[in-house]
């Protein structure tokens, strides 16, 4: 029984996120906590709902348990629907044996039957590891207006960073005539954001052909997009302005967290007109002790703060004891920083414990020289013993005691 749905969104949330090291050891990258009260996946999901897209397939494969539990029936995002709603699609349920998703295109290919059930005109393909707010409905309108087969959201990036992205060259009508994946000599600074709108009949045809090609790596950027371009399909670039961050590395995740307290950054999470929804357990209001000093920071509910916090993001149910200092750091839910401990330029993952007088990271002498400093990372439920020092850039695995 099929219900006609104009748009189905497919959210690629399967990546192992190896560049996030210990943070994604036991948790899929999109489920990593962000900004005190969110997880990364809240952004694309909220963008879908705010854009009026209520049928979302979330494609997971690596450590999906936390993510599956978090998504549940989709209720926090208003995605608990009889027709449509959010569906977690895992490869181990694939027919004819467990076949892991080989690439982004193969992941969608394996779920053609799911998409067909809704018989959509358009399919929106999204990544699960970007922090941004975007109205996909505007992009779909742009796609229709251009009678496009594929529309790719683009962001102008600084020229010196262009070789890190898929770069699109466009004519005066925003039509794409060339696409280069991470070019050494970029011809344009329009970077693909990994947000695509496809007319479903076209995408379906290309997915089936791509799957049949033994030499393909079954990837959108490497195979599907270049092939459609070679075949002269109508492909357009949709210009995006606003905050967008790929949080695939420790440094970018750390920066994106601190961006929410940076007044010069255009990322307002309290904006009610484009709300970012999340599944948050109810916590009591935070408690700030008489000796606490909190400056330029974001502090979530359920925290107990008796120490000093400066330019940091403190997630829910974190304890920072008297005499402890936290600066330029991200503390994820449930972590504890004990008396006299110092946490500088660090990410402390969920439920980690920093014992008395330990020091994590340090305040760099010279921020301009990247070789002298880096973000220290303490994995979830790890324990740093009393008086121990952890160097900048050092990573302590989840559950470890050092």
């Amino acid at each position: 029984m099929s219900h006609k749905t104009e748009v189905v969104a497919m959210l690629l949330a399967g990546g192992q996120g190896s560049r996030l090291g210990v943070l994604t050891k036991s948790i899929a990258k999109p489920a990593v906590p962000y900004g005190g009260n969110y997880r990364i996946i809240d952004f694309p999901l909220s963008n879908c709902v705010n854009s009026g897209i209520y049928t979302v397939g979330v494609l997971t494969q690596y450590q999906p348990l936390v993510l599956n539990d978090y998504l549940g029936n989709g209720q926090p995002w208003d995605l608990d629907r009889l027709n449509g709603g959010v569906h977690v699609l895992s490869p181990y349920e694939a027919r004819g044996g467990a076949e892991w998703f080989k690439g982004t295109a193969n992941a969608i290919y394996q779920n053609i039957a799911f998409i067909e059930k809704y018989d959509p005109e358009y399919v929106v393909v999204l990544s699960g590891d970007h922090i941004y707010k975007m109205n996909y409905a505007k992009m779909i309108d742009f796609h229709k207006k251009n009678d496009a087969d594929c529309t790719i959201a683009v962001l102008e990036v600084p020229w010196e960073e262009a070789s890190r992205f898929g770069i699109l060259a466009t004519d005066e009508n925003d039509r794409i005539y060339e696409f280069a994946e991470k070019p050494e000599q970029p011809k344009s600074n329009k970077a693909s954001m990994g947000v695509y709108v496809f007319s479903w009949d076209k995408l379906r045809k290309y997915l089936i052909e791509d799957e049949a090609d033994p030499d393909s790596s079954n990837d959108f950027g490497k195979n599907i997009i270049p092939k459609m371009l070679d075949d002269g399909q109508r492909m357009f670039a949709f210009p995006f302005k606003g905050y967008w961050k790929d949080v695939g590395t420790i440094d970018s995740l750390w920066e994106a967290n601190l961006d929410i307290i940076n007044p010069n950054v255009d990322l307002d999470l309290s904006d009610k007109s484009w709300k970012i929804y999340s599944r948050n357990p109810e916590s009591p209001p935070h408690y700030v002790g008489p000796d606490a000093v909190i400056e330029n920071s974001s502090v979530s509910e359920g925290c107990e703060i008796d120490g000093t916090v400066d330019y940091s993001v403190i997630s829910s149910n974190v304890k920072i004891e008297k005499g402890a200092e936290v600066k330029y750091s991200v503390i994820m839910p449930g972590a504890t920083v004990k008396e006299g401990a110092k946490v500088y330029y660090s990410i402390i993952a969920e439920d980690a414990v920093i014992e008395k007088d330990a020091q994590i990271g340090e305040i760099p002498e010279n921020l301009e020289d990247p070789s002298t400093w880096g973000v220290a990372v303490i994995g979830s439920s790890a324990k740093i013993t009393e008086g121990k020092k952890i160097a900048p850039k050092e990573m302590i695995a989840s559950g470890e005691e050092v």
Side-chain angles (χ1 to χ4, degrees):
M1 183 175 143
S2 83
H3 292 275
K4 185 95 179 113
T5 303
E6 190 188 24
V7 183
V8 169
M10 299 296 273
L11 177 52
L12 297 162
Q16 187 170 343
S18 51
R19 292 176 305 164
L20 287 178
V22 301
L23 293 177
T24 47
K25 194 86 172 89
S26 56
I27 176 176
K29 184 160 62 168
V32 169
Y34 167 79
N37 296 314
Y38 305 94
R39 290 182 187 261
I40 296 168
I41 198 166
D42 290 333
F43 287 80
L45 278 181
S46 299
N47 286 341
C48 283
V49 175
N50 290 332
S51 304
I53 299 172
Y54 295 109
T55 304
V56 184
V58 178
L59 289 82
T60 66
Q61 65 185 6
Y62 175 79
Q63 295 287 9
L65 286 174
V66 175
L67 189 59
N68 292 358
D69 282 353
Y70 183 69
L71 292 171
N73 65 355
Q75 184 264 324
W77 304 271
D78 192 24
L79 286 169
D80 50 334
R81 290 165 179 257
L82 284 172
N83 181 28
V86 68
H87 300 263
V88 176
L89 306 167
S90 310
Y92 51 77
E93 291 165 9
R95 291 175 302 276
E99 169 87 62
W100 274 54
F101 296 146
K102 296 196 284 279
T104 50
N106 171 260
I108 307 282
Y109 170 83
Q110 282 197 34
N111 287 287
I112 285 179
F114 168 80
I115 299 172
E116 295 282 66
K117 204 167 75 178
Y118 296 99
D119 188 23
E121 293 283 306
Y122 308 104
V123 169
V124 180
V125 177
L126 305 167
S127 303
D129 49 5
H130 298 150
I131 302 287
Y132 66 115
K133 293 175 172 190
M134 180 176 181
N135 188 338
Y136 306 137
K138 285 188 176 158
M139 183 171 171
I140 293 162
D141 286 344
F142 175 90
H143 179 88
K144 292 178 189 170
K145 197 176 86 225
N146 285 303
D147 188 27
D149 299 305
C150 166
T151 299
I152 303 175
V154 298
L155 184 73
E156 293 196 358
V157 295
W159 277 93
E160 63 275 12
E161 283 180 30
S163 56
R164 290 180 30 221
F165 295 94
I167 293 293
L168 302 162
T170 56
D171 67 15
E172 67 282 2
N173 301 319
D174 293 310
R175 185 157 177 180
I176 300 165
Y177 62 85
E178 196 178 312
F179 173 76
E181 184 72 71
K182 303 188 176 163
E184 276 179 32
Q185 307 290 314
K187 292 186 182 170
S188 125
N189 66 338
K190 289 182 176 155
S192 164
M193 292 165 59
V195 175
Y196 308 109
V197 174
F198 290 97
S199 297
W200 172 234
D201 53 351
K202 277 281 156 69
L203 175 60
R204 187 173 179 279
K205 169 181 172 296
Y206 278 92
L207 288 174
I208 292 168
E209 286 174 10
D210 178 70
E211 189 62 27
D213 174 359
D215 301 327
S216 174
S217 46
N218 308 122
D219 184 82
F220 276 103
K222 294 192 188 82
N223 308 106
I224 303 277
I225 303 295
K227 182 83 178 81
M228 287 182 78
L229 208 51
D230 285 350
D231 291 353
Q233 300 292 350
R234 292 182 63 79
M235 304 181 73
F236 287 82
F238 175 74
F240 173 79
K241 299 215 175 347
Y243 182 88
W244 180 81
K245 193 126 189 159
D246 177 341
V247 286
T249 63
I250 290 294
D251 286 2
S252 64
L253 179 66
W254 176 80
E255 279 169 22
N257 270 279
L258 297 188
D259 278 345
I260 68 172
I261 47 182
N262 182 345
N264 306 320
V265 169
D266 173 24
L267 176 67
D268 177 11
L269 298 182
S270 61
D271 176 9
K272 294 284 180 278
S273 67
W274 197 267
K275 189 166 160 39
I276 302 299
Y277 300 91
S278 66
R279 180 186 296 283
N280 272 321
E282 284 297 301
S283 299
H286 57 252
Y287 166 79
V288 177
D291 302 325
V293 179
I294 302 177
E295 290 177 318
N296 315 320
S297 296
S298 159
V299 176
S300 301
E301 3 186 81
C303 291
E304 290 177 33
I305 298 184
D306 289 293
T308 298
V309 176
D310 186 18
Y311 218 86
S312 295
V313 173
I314 311 295
S315 309
S316 52
N317 305 313
V318 165
K319 286 192 177 58
I320 296 174
E321 295 186 356
K322 215 169 148 159
E325 250 185 47
V326 176
K327 293 185 173 178
Y328 292 93
S329 293
V330 178
I331 315 284
M332 290 181 178
T336 303
V337 181
K338 298 215 171 153
E339 201 181 323
K342 310 268 187 275
V343 176
Y344 303 133
Y345 287 83
S346 300
I347 295 176
I348 310 292
E350 295 173 274
D351 303 317
V353 178
I354 312 300
E355 292 287 352
K356 234 176 99 169
D357 301 327
Q359 180 172 331
I360 316 298
E362 54 188 60
I363 294 178
E365 302 270 301
N366 178 11
L367 275 173
E368 298 307 302
D369 178 2
S371 65
T372 60
W373 74 281
V375 177
V377 183
I378 308 299
S380 58
S381 303
K383 186 172 172 186
I384 307 302
T385 52
E386 189 170 332
K388 177 90 180 146
K389 276 189 96 151
I390 303 295
K393 292 189 192 171
E394 203 175 327
M395 281 197 182
I396 303 301
S398 301
E400 234 180 83
E401 181 169 333
V402 292

